[in-house]
């Protein structure tokens, strides 16, 4: 290639470098039949499981929330700890038989004092594992904040 040939080539830079909107577009396939047809045609496929099936035992909504985050343009805040539960933790920590400081509760739940502080203030991003540990120590329900019944043997 001579030096004169390089002046004849064009290099595109920017959004429209691949020819604008006429390129291959990503599509979402809904249903097994459409997926099978795409596989038979030899199309490039990328599959992602967005949420659990109807028969799943754990019917969490985290996958559906992630789908919402994936499709949204604006920033979506992560879920916070329920104020009912955080108030119940504060209340229970002051009750007779459970009187302890945040540091003592943190030690019993194998967590940091800052985690307990943010959990009680309601500012903590929902951490179900930490919430379960704290509620187990205080013998309250992690869903409602209600005291759990005593198990008598």
């Amino acid at each position: 290639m001579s030096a004169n040939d390089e002046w004849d080539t064009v290099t595109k830079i920017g959004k429209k470098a691949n020819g604008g909107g006429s390129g291959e577009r990503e599509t979402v396939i809904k249903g097994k039949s459409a997926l099978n047809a795409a596989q038979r045609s030899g199309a490039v496929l990328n599959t992602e499981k967005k949420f659990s099936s109807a028969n799943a035992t754990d019917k969490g909504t985290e996958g559906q929330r992630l789908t919402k985050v994936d499709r949204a343009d604006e920033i979506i805040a992560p879920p916070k700890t329920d104020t009912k539960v955080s108030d119940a933790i504060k209340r229970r920590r002051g009750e007779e038989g459970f009187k302890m400081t945040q540091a003592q509760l943190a030690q019993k739940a194998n967590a940091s004092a800052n985690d307990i502080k943010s959990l009680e203030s309601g500012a903590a991003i929902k951490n179900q594992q930490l919430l379960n540990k704290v509620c187990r120590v205080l013998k309250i329900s992690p869903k409602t904040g209600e005291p759990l019944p005593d198990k008598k043997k």
Side-chain angles (χ1 to χ4, degrees):
M1 188 184 251
S2 69
N4 290 337
D5 291 338
E6 288 182 31
W7 289 103
D8 295 334
T9 61
V10 176
T11 304
K12 293 183 182 180
I13 299 174
K15 285 193 253 180
K16 299 186 181 186
N18 62 358
S22 63
E24 193 71 22
R25 199 162 166 218
E26 183 179 320
T27 58
V28 177
I29 296 175
K30 296 176 182 161
K32 288 271 188 192
S33 61
L35 178 64
N36 289 336
Q39 285 174 333
R40 282 192 301 272
S41 71
V44 178
L45 299 177
N46 180 20
T47 58
E48 291 181 37
K49 186 173 182 180
K50 295 289 185 173
F51 43 88
S52 62
S53 67
N55 297 330
T57 56
D58 178 35
K59 299 206 182 217
T61 58
E62 184 61 16
Q64 292 174 354
R65 190 188 81 75
L66 290 176
T67 302
K68 179 181 174 186
V69 169
D70 198 25
R71 292 182 179 160
D73 290 337
E74 67 275 355
I75 296 172
I76 296 177
K80 302 281 187 201
T81 305
D82 190 13
T83 55
K84 258 192 320 190
V85 177
S86 58
D87 289 342
I89 291 171
K90 279 189 265 189
R91 210 174 322 110
R92 186 70 163 190
R93 200 169 52 80
E95 287 180 6
E96 202 62 42
F98 293 98
K99 277 200 182 289
M100 62 183 87
T101 64
Q102 288 180 342
Q104 291 168 332
L105 176 59
Q107 187 176 13
K108 286 186 177 185
N110 197 19
S112 73
N114 283 339
D115 287 343
I116 303 299
K117 179 181 175 184
S118 61
L119 191 66
E120 285 186 357
S121 70
I125 294 172
K126 191 168 187 173
N127 180 347
Q128 196 62 46
Q129 193 173 19
L130 173 66
L131 189 62
N132 288 341
K133 286 180 184 178
V134 170
C135 289
R136 195 176 311 121
V137 169
L138 295 175
K139 296 181 181 170
I140 60 174
S141 167
K143 290 185 179 178
T144 61
E146 299 294 319
L148 295 174
D150 289 335
K151 292 182 180 178
K152 298 200 177 176
K153 296 180 183 176

